[in-house]
């Protein structure tokens, strides 16, 4: 009798565990992908440099930018993902079909120029950090990262490559780890986040513009929409929701969880970077940071070699995500605009134009390393172009998402539209302030 009860109990226990595991597998967070990778790519090495400068120059009084920007970046990215999954096409293809040609080509070529300059700044930072960690020459390390990321994108199929990118997202935890190496007054942090001391100066305005421009970047819009299409094509029998709405509730729910959680992860990391540099560099009187590598180097005497090391390793990790996303988004945009075959699941012979754009983007960025152009100047002009491009591009995205001819019954909701248009207004003000500053 006792043995029978034990067997029944074991069977019941296994059944409960099996049921819970099944529910976990069905939860939208179990299939995170484009949103998570996009969020991490947002904190690329040039973004880390911007956040580090914000914390070093203005301390805790720049933390407020993260909770303010979070719903804006999440709504814009979720809208891009929604467009991709509903239509089965990326942003460039939808813009091509809905707007005049000059809108498409102005957006695509501006994006390509900004992305190449941004990649140049990113790979330069990765080379500097690698030299800091390993002692090898920074230019050699830069070449290693350029050709390494290019080979991964060109020769590894998407379904395998995306798994590699997902694992790299763990690298963002390095910035949370830095906070355990220094003393932090969390009550003061909470106060300054909610009630900062804002100094109405051109320098303060310039950093705010830089932070918002880094957080809400056009290349991320194209990447996430196209990755939704890649994921859809990778699933057997999957099709655009506009053609088959059977899985619409599940897919739209997944997009919401994926994007908002990915942007939260990204936003919290940026918050941690600003906080880490505020309580170390700013307190020590170091208020000028030009590169992410410089921030890592400056942390060494203040927070110890361990903090400097994990900060540096985080830069390398997110760089390995950021560079492919920058190059890939340019490839998707131009390939769709020109009507070429595209997709990371395709072979190079099957999508020559698409992979050609990716290769040219990273190789031109490498050439910049050996030209009179300073990588920080490249980053500056990238920020200028992105700042100008973001305003009309977000407006175009919102118009697409509200158009029943494009989205059918899955147009954007009123709340999301309001937040989206508020983002357009904010980015427009930021663009004006950038030039005034």
């Amino acid at each position: 009798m006792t043995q029978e009860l034990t067997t029944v109990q074991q069977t019941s226990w296994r059944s409960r565990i099996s049921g819970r595991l099944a529910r976990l597998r069905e939860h939208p967070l179990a299939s995170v992908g484009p949103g998570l990778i996009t969020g991490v790519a947002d904190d690329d090495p040039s973004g880390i440099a911007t956040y580090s400068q914000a914390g070093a120059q203005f301390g805790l009084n720049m933390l407020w930018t993260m909770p303010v920007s979070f719903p804006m970046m999440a709504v814009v990215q979720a809208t891009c993902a929604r467009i991709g999954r509903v239509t089965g096409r990326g942003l460039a293809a939808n813009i091509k079909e809905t707007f005049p040609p000059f809108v498409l080509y102005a957006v695509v070529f501006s994006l390509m120029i900004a992305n190449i300059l941004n990649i140049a700044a990113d790979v330069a930072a990765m080379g500097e950090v690698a030299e800091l960690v390993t002692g090898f020459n920074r230019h050699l390390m830069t070449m290693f990262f350029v050709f390494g990321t290019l080979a991964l994108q060109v020769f590894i199929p998407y379904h395998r490559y995306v798994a590699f990118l997902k694992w790299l997202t763990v690298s963002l935890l390095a910035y949370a780890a830095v906070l355990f190496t220094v003393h932090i007054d969390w009550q003061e942090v909470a106060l300054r986040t909610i009630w900062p001391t804002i100094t109405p100066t051109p320098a303060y305005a310039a950093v705010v513009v830089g932070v918002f421009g880094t957080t809400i970047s056009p290349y991320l819009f194209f990447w996430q929409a196209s990755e939704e299409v890649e994921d859809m094509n990778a699933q057997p029998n999957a099709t655009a929701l506009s053609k088959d709405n059977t899985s619409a509730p599940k897919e739209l729910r997944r997009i919401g969880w994926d994007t908002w959680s990915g942007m939260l992860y990204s936003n919290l990391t940026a918050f941690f970077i600003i906080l880490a540099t505020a309580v170390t560099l700013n307190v020590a009187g170091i208020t000028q940071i030009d590169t992410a590598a410089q921030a890592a180097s400056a942390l060494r005497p203040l927070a110890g070699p361990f903090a400097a090391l994990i900060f540096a390793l985080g830069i390398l990790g997110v760089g390995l995500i950021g560079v492919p996303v920058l190059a890939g988004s340019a490839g998707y945009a131009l390939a769709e605009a020109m009507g070429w075959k595209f997709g990371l699941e395709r072979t190079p012979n099957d999508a020559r134009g698409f992979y050609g754009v990716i290769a040219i983007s990273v190789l031109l960025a490498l050439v910049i390393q050996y030209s009179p152009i300073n990588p920080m100047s490249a980053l500056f002009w990238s920020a200028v172009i992105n700042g100008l491009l973001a305003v009309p591009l977000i407006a175009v995205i919102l118009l697409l998402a509200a158009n029943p001819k494009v989205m059918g019954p899955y147009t954007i909701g009123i709340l999301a539209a309001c937040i989206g248009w508020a983002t357009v207004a904010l980015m427009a003000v930021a663009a004006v302030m950038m030039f005034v500053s």
Side-chain angles (χ1 to χ4, degrees), residues 401-424:
N403 189 341
K405 293 181 180 179
V406 176
M407 302 293 288
Y410 304 111
T411 53
I412 192 173
I414 295 176
L415 179 59
C418 290
I419 295 175
W421 286 110
T423 306
V424 172

Side-chain angles (χ1 to χ4, degrees), residues 25 46 95 127 136 231 255 270 277 295 300 302 306 324 326 343 345 369 423 427-428:
R25 284 193 294 267
S46 57
I95 293 172
F136 292 116
D231 275 6
I255 287 172
T277 51
R300 188 185 299 273
L302 300 174
F306 177 70
L326 282 158
E345 197 68 41
Q369 311 302 310
T423 306
M427 297 299 286

Side-chain angles (χ1 to χ4, degrees), residues 178 182 276-277 280-281 286 294-305 307-308 311-312:
V178 171
V182 293
T277 51
T280 52
L281 306 185
I286 302 172
Q294 186 181 341
S297 182
L299 277 174
R300 188 185 299 273
L302 300 174
F311 195 94

Side-chain angles (χ1 to χ4, degrees), residues 33-254:
L36 176 64
I37 294 170
T38 304
V40 175
D42 191 33
D43 294 328
D44 65 330
S46 57
I48 293 170
T50 302
Y51 298 136
S52 298
Q53 175 60 28
Q57 190 169 355
F58 296 103
L60 302 179
N61 293 308
M62 199 58 71
L63 292 174
W64 65 270
T65 55
M66 290 300 102
V68 169
S69 64
F70 169 58
M72 296 181 177
M73 68 186 294
V75 163
V76 173
Q77 291 301 142
T79 303
C80 294
R82 189 185 188 96
I83 291 172
R85 189 63 183 87
V86 168
T87 65
R89 299 189 301 270
L91 283 184
N94 280 290
I95 293 172
K96 181 179 182 178
E97 191 169 295
T98 310
F99 291 90
F102 78 87
V103 175
L104 172 69
Y105 293 113
V107 165
V108 169
F109 286 108
S110 297
L111 176 78
M112 289 192 64
I113 293 170
N115 282 12
I116 291 169
L117 295 175
N118 205 334
I119 293 170
D122 279 356
V123 295
M126 292 170 72
E128 291 178 23
V129 168
E131 183 181 62
L132 183 69
V133 173
T134 67
F136 292 116
N137 180 274
R138 66 183 62 183
H139 293 299
L140 290 177
M141 297 305 296
T142 297
M143 291 181 66
F144 171 76
F145 290 125
V146 164
F147 288 108
T149 56
L150 181 58
L152 285 171
Q153 279 192 288
V154 173
F155 298 110
I156 305 297
Y158 172 76
H159 68 277
R160 294 179 182 173
Y161 183 61
V162 74
F164 168 73
L165 293 181
K166 285 182 182 180
W167 277 108
L168 281 176
T169 61
V170 178
S171 60
L172 281 191
L173 297 176
Y175 301 106
V178 171
L179 301 179
F180 289 99
T181 66
V182 293
H183 171 71
I184 297 174
D185 183 347
W186 289 104
Q187 185 174 356
E188 181 70 10
V189 169
L191 176 63
R192 291 302 174 194
T193 302
I194 298 172
W195 195 262
T197 300
I198 296 176
T199 53
T201 63
Y204 189 90
V207 174
V208 171
V209 169
V211 169
F212 276 95
T214 296
T215 305
I216 306 172
S217 297
Y219 74 92
L220 300 173
F221 309 160
F222 286 88
W223 171 266
Q224 188 163 357
S226 294
E227 290 317 286
E228 282 294 334
V229 179
E230 289 271 21
D231 275 6
M232 180 192 73
N233 291 335
Q235 300 172 27
N237 303 320
T239 187
L241 299 182
S242 59
K243 298 178 181 178
D244 181 5
N245 62 5
T246 306
S247 61
K250 179 183 176 181
E251 285 298 297
L252 295 178
R253 185 165 171 258
R254 176 194 57 78

